Amino acid sequence: MGRNEELADRARNVLVGNYKQQPIAIERGEGCYLYDAEGRRYLDMIAGIATVSLGHCHPKVVAALEAQSKQLWHASNVVYTLPQIELAERICSSSFAERVFFCNSGAEANEAALKLARRWQRDRGQDRFEIIAFQSSFHGRTLFTVTATGQPKYWEGFEPMVPGVHHAKYGDLASVEALIGPKTAAIIVEPVQGEGGVRPAPKGFLAGLRKLADEHGLVLIFDEVQTGMGRTGPLFAYQRHGVEPDVMTLAKALGNGIPIGAMCTREELARSLVPGTHASTFGGNPLAAACASAVFDELLDGGVLERGQIAGEYLAARLGDMARRLGPEKVVEARGQGLLHGVELLGPAAPVISRCRELGVIVNAAGEKVVRLAPPLIIEHVQIDEAVDVLERAIRES
Ligand SMILES: *Cc1c(COP(=O)(O)O)cnc(C)c1O
């Protein structure tokens, strides 16, 4: 028995079986490469699900973590800590946000956003608590965020769900308007639906939501947990649409793999979360915050954001060529923005993903039939060439 198989066996004996893992154990990562327990190298085209955007063990982030680890690990939010302040300053100076609440994951960031929306409406004397979310969305696995997630398979057995959450059709403003009533508090939307199959918002959709939110006094929440931090080209996806949300949530790539989430908003809304209303023990933890500040500096001053934009255009072109070569009997569509792409197949994605792994490239699925690619923003053209060649071969053989 190989080392990978041995570790998979041990894992199955002690871990809750809620994931469907690839049959390899990853031991080490460097740049765009992962190495398994038998020393085999893989080109990482998913970056820990759109998370390790600077590449594995990026030296600047490692240095930030090492320095902070000798200074202070944790003091909790009963006191102020400098890394958290510095990170919030970076978020506010590079976005619409004026106030930030830190937590540890995407679900927690969205949970905070949804709670804030209800509370803010109540503070204005409005009995508005209903949330409009979208079909095929993904917002997390806490009860509130999984209720917002418009994929009923994730609700099975967990009912009753949180009351007052409705799902409109993504891209369809009329279906949103039809759901707005006197109890509506907020709209939550992904600028690109990630888990739901990598579907970018159609042109004008986010601007239309902004207009509806303004007309009806609703809080507009952009879930940028997956699209933020340069994943779709600009630092935040909302910046390409010319509209600002009232709340933006971040997590995945914010810490390049160290767990951290953020709920970013304007001062006027933030005022509703007075002391005692919401909290997180680890939120804005010095280790995580120091890493995330290093990520901002690399993206903005280290040129990684621009690198990612150039790589994104190249990947889009290569995937488009591939889709044309494979034709409509294999590929429905290749779509995406920046370095977040989905290749929708006619058949299931799982065998293609397994075959890619056998050929040394890691990708994953976003839904049953979509292969998702979300490589580190530092990916080079030759690596993109290799990945697309492997993907094409895997699709042909499927
Ligand atoms: C991954 C994801 C989440 C959930 O993040 P977790 O850190 O897994 O809780 C929420 N929203 C979007 C858009 C995501 O992609």
Side-chain angles (χ1 to χ4, degrees):
M1 196 197 292
R3 182 80 177 139
N4 281 317
E5 214 179 315
E6 197 182 302
L7 289 171
D9 264 2
R10 278 172 63 184
R12 283 190 282 265
N13 276 325
V14 287
L15 297 178
V16 172
N18 58 316
Y19 299 105
K20 196 166 71 203
Q21 276 106 340
Q22 300 280 324
I24 51 171
I26 295 300
E27 222 165 52
R28 191 166 69 79
E30 191 184 333
C32 295
Y33 292 101
L34 291 170
Y35 298 83
D36 75 13
E38 291 164 24
R40 174 133 197 249
R41 189 178 86 161
Y42 303 87
L43 179 56
D44 185 4
M45 290 300 286
I46 194 62
I49 314 187
T51 292
V52 191
S53 283
L54 302 183
H56 297 280
C57 297
H58 189 284
K60 293 268 174 62
V61 186
V62 171
L65 181 64
E66 277 180 356
Q68 187 59 45
S69 75
K70 294 177 184 117
Q71 186 84 23
L72 178 73
W73 283 43
H74 181 77
S76 89
N77 290 300
V78 300
V79 292
Y80 297 110
T81 52
L82 180 61
Q84 187 178 146
I85 298 165
E86 289 182 334
L87 175 58
E89 285 170 350
R90 281 171 171 80
I91 293 173
C92 291
S93 66
S94 58
S95 75
F96 76 96
E98 297 164 341
R99 295 289 186 276
V100 184
F101 164 79
F102 288 111
C103 50
N104 316 289
S105 68
E108 284 172 87
N110 286 328
E111 185 81 20
L114 295 169
K115 285 179 71 181
L116 168 64
R118 283 188 169 180
R119 184 103 189 174
W120 180 76
Q121 296 285 6
R122 260 61 182 263
D123 285 349
R124 300 194 313 153
Q126 304 276 335
D127 183 30
R128 291 170 168 265
F129 63 90
E130 294 187 353
I131 308 293
I132 297 176
F134 291 90
Q135 293 162 11
S136 302
S137 63
F138 187 83
H139 300 295
R141 301 291 197 145
T142 63
L143 197 62
F144 205 165
T145 59
V146 82
T147 306
T149 294
Q151 304 192 48
K153 64 181 181 213
Y154 294 149
W155 307 336
E156 275 166 34
F158 299 117
E159 302 93 342
M161 308 311 286
V162 175
V165 181
H166 307 286
H167 297 90
K169 198 162 172 276
Y170 193 69
D172 181 349
L173 289 170
S175 81
V176 178
E177 207 164 358
L179 288 176
I180 297 175
K183 302 282 185 205
T184 310
I187 300 171
I188 183 166
V189 65
E190 295 158 272
V192 178
Q193 285 194 328
E195 305 301 305
V198 190
R199 295 172 204 283
K203 225 178 155 77
F205 181 55
L206 298 182
L209 292 180
R210 176 74 274 172
K211 194 156 164 280
L212 284 175
D214 290 342
E215 281 166 13
H216 297 274
L218 314 180
V219 178
L220 182 60
I221 303 163
F222 284 176
D223 178 347
E224 293 232 25
V225 167
Q226 187 155 160
T227 57
M229 308 305 287
R231 176 53 55 192
T232 73
L235 185 59
F236 304 111
Y238 79 83
Q239 292 166 333
R240 79 157 65 225
H241 294 270
V243 278
E244 289 180 355
D246 301 305
V247 181
M248 168 176 75
T249 53
L250 301 173
K252 289 195 166 83
L254 180 56
N256 206 51
I258 199 160
I260 182 167
M263 191 276 290
C264 317
T265 187
R266 289 184 287 104
E267 193 268 338
E268 198 258 316
L269 277 98
R271 250 183 266 150
S272 284
L273 294 185
V274 296
T277 53
H278 196 61
S280 166
T281 298
F282 288 128
N285 167 284
L287 296 172
C291 289
S293 279
V295 171
F296 264 92
D297 294 347
E298 258 319 275
L299 284 175
L300 297 179
D301 308 328
V304 174
L305 195 65
E306 285 83 7
R307 250 182 100 168
Q309 289 163 356
I310 293 163
E313 278 169 30
Y314 188 67
L315 178 61
R318 288 294 325 257
L319 289 174
D321 291 344
M322 181 196 78
R324 272 186 291 280
R325 278 193 302 273
L326 289 168
E329 59 284 356
K330 285 284 188 193
V331 173
V332 177
E333 188 185 26
R335 57 177 176 256
Q337 276 172 1
L339 281 170
L340 180 57
H341 286 267
V343 179
E344 185 171 343
L345 306 174
L346 252 78
V352 173
I353 288 161
S354 296
R355 187 70 187 125
C356 284
R357 186 198 72 250
E358 287 165 6
L359 296 170
V361 172
I362 306 289
V363 290
N364 90 334
E368 289 292 301
K369 294 179 173 174
V370 179
V371 176
R372 174 172 40 184
L373 297 98
L377 306 189
I378 58 162
I379 187 118
E380 290 175 12
H381 284 21
V382 287
Q383 294 168 323
I384 290 174
D385 287 340
E386 183 197 335
V388 176
D389 289 347
V390 162
L391 179 61
E392 181 166 348
R393 183 174 156 195
I395 295 172
R396 269 187 209 290
E397 290 173 6
S398 72

